[in-house]
Amino acid sequence: ADLKFNWMIEDIHEAQKATEGKALDDVKSITQHVLALPEHEGRDYLTDYVTEHCEFVVSHWWDLADYLIMKYNDGYVNVPVIGGDEGGYPTWWLEEVGAEVQPARTDEIPEEDEATSYEF
């Protein structure tokens, strides 16, 4: 992750904004709904909402982790096409590992890749 963190952080921030945005969008309607219920029902409703939202966040962050691994695998940006952007490895890293040039791609690159985006 350190090698491509400066690229990954953009995807992470996008996912963070979407996740936080959903919670912030829900605050007003949830508050109004809970206040209109008897106390014990409001407490149960709020507990259920928080549980569901936490499950949503955890699920989406695990999906994001899988997506980031796929997208930045082997030092390339594999979206929208596998091997599409030969960003490669940073010069400092190549020097540290004793490589003089970017490693060549040896695998076949499919014409189309179905995993072209992540739904935040």
Side-chain angles (χ1 to χ4, degrees), residues 3-118:
L3 295 175
K4 296 297 178 200
F5 182 76
N6 58 331
W7 294 4
M8 289 182 190
I9 194 64
E10 294 176 23
D11 294 314
I12 293 166
H13 282 157
E14 187 177 337
Q16 179 183 7
K17 286 177 189 174
T19 303
E20 290 174 354
K22 180 185 179 330
L24 292 173
D25 290 346
D26 291 346
V27 168
K28 186 175 180 179
S29 63
I30 295 290
T31 302
Q32 289 173 343
H33 185 76
V34 168
L35 291 174
L37 295 171
E39 184 178 341
H40 69 282
E41 288 180 29
R43 187 172 38 244
D44 291 345
Y45 181 84
L46 193 54
T47 299
D48 290 344
Y49 169 78
V50 169
T51 300
E52 288 175 18
H53 184 71
C54 289
E55 290 170 354
F56 163 80
V57 170
V58 169
S59 173
H60 277 72
W61 281 96
W62 277 114
D63 290 346
L64 176 64
D66 291 341
Y67 174 77
L68 292 174
I69 291 167
M70 179 277 306
K71 183 174 180 180
Y72 297 104
N73 188 37
D74 292 334
Y76 292 83
V77 179
N78 296 303
V79 172
V81 182
I82 294 175
D85 180 354
E86 296 189 21
Y89 295 99
T91 303
W92 66 264
W93 186 84
L94 291 171
E95 290 170 357
E96 286 290 320
V97 299
E100 295 179 20
V101 296
Q102 293 286 340
R105 296 291 297 219
T106 58
D107 54 324
E108 281 189 35
I109 300 172
E111 290 185 24
E112 291 185 27
D113 178 27
E114 293 179 13
T116 59
S117 66
Y118 174 75

